[in-house]
Amino acid sequence: MRVQTEEWRRFIPGSRMYKGKKTLFYNGEILWDDENEEYLIYDEDEQRSWEVIIVLPGVEVIPDMSFYECEKIETVIMSDSVKRIEHDAFYECESLAFVRLSRNLEYIGRGAFTHCVYLTSIFIPPSCREIGNEAFCGCKKLIILTVPRHTTLRDRVIGGAALSRAFRIKTGVSGGLGSRACDGGGGG
C-alpha cells in the first residue's frame, strides 16, 4: 500500500476506511495514559478494530504504548516527519506485517515492535542512530533486518529464532543483535 504525497493533504485525523481497511489517520495525539493504563481518545472496540495506521505529516514522535496490543493492525505507513518511535509503541500488534518507516527516523524505543509476529522484514533508515532493548523481540518471522553501520543497538534487539534467520546487510553495527534469546516483554 503506497500513499502518494498529494493524498496526505486530504486525510482527516480519525478513524475511517482506506482501501477497504479500517484505518486510523494518526495526527500525533497522545492515545495512552500510562498512569491510569487506559486509552484517552478512542474506546477499546474502536482501538482494537484498526487495520491500517497512517501517520500524518507533522507528527515527529509516536508516543509510548500508542498502539499497544492493537492486534488487528496489519500495516503502518509513517510520514517522513517521524523522528522517534517510543517504547512499546506497537507492542503485540500481532497481525502487523508491513511497516514503512520514516526516512528521517532517529530512534526506535525499547520493545517498540515486540511480538509483531508477522513482521518479516524491516529496513532501518540511515538517519537512525539507536535501536532500544528488545525492539524486535518475538518477531518470529523476521528474516530481513537492515541496519545502518553507525546505528547503536541496545541489548537483545532481536533474539530467539529470528536471530538465527535475520540478515544484516550492513556490517560493523555497534551493540548486538542479541546473544541471548528475548524473554518476552518489551521492557529491558
Side-chain angles (χ1 to χ4, degrees):
M1 182 181 309
R2 184 180 161 130
V3 178
Q4 300 297 324
T5 306
E6 55 274 4
E7 286 183 292
W8 290 115
R9 291 188 198 108
R10 65 184 175 83
F11 291 151
I12 298 169
S15 198
R16 63 183 185 174
M17 298 299 282
Y18 175 72
K19 294 195 176 186
K21 301 280 186 172
K22 181 76 181 265
T23 302
L24 174 70
F25 296 92
Y26 181 63
N27 65 359
E29 295 179 62
I30 302 293
L31 300 176
W32 179 258
D33 177 1
D34 243 349
E35 188 173 313
N36 295 315
E37 296 185 352
E38 65 183 3
Y39 281 87
L40 299 174
I41 299 172
Y42 303 96
D43 65 43
E44 189 171 327
D45 290 336
E46 170 136 355
Q47 174 259 328
R48 298 245 185 249
S49 69
W50 299 324
E51 297 171 294
V52 177
I53 304 296
I54 296 179
V55 181
L56 297 173
V59 175
E60 292 187 6
V61 177
I62 298 177
D64 301 342
M65 303 176 79
S66 291
F67 302 100
Y68 186 88
E69 295 182 342
C70 291
E71 297 169 353
K72 290 189 176 183
I73 294 174
E74 300 169 0
T75 301
V76 173
I77 300 170
M78 295 181 195
S79 71
D80 287 332
S81 61
V82 176
K83 294 181 180 175
R84 296 179 62 87
I85 301 171
E86 297 297 343
H87 83 82
D88 298 330
F90 296 95
Y91 181 91
E92 283 193 14
C93 290
E94 294 177 349
S95 298
L96 185 60
F98 176 79
V99 177
R100 190 275 190 193
L101 294 174
S102 163
R103 284 183 253 165
N104 297 308
L105 189 66
E106 297 173 358
Y107 173 79
I108 299 173
R110 74 175 157 80
F113 294 94
T114 293
H115 297 298
C116 294
V117 296
Y118 286 99
L119 193 60
T120 58
S121 60
I122 198 85
F123 300 90
I124 309 298
S127 58
C128 190
R129 293 183 297 218
E130 181 179 340
I131 301 174
N133 296 348
E134 301 180 358
F136 298 99
C137 269
C139 295
K140 297 175 183 175
K141 295 188 179 197
L142 186 65
I143 56 172
I144 299 174
L145 175 66
T146 62
V147 180
R149 192 171 295 225
H150 62 276
T151 302
T152 299
L153 302 178
R154 298 297 172 203
D155 194 30
R156 298 177 292 170
V157 168
I158 65 171
L163 177 60
S164 65
R165 292 190 314 265
F167 175 65
R168 284 185 298 170
I169 292 176
K170 306 286 183 178
T171 58
V173 176
S174 61
L177 287 177
S179 57
R180 297 173 281 155
C182 299
D183 59 1

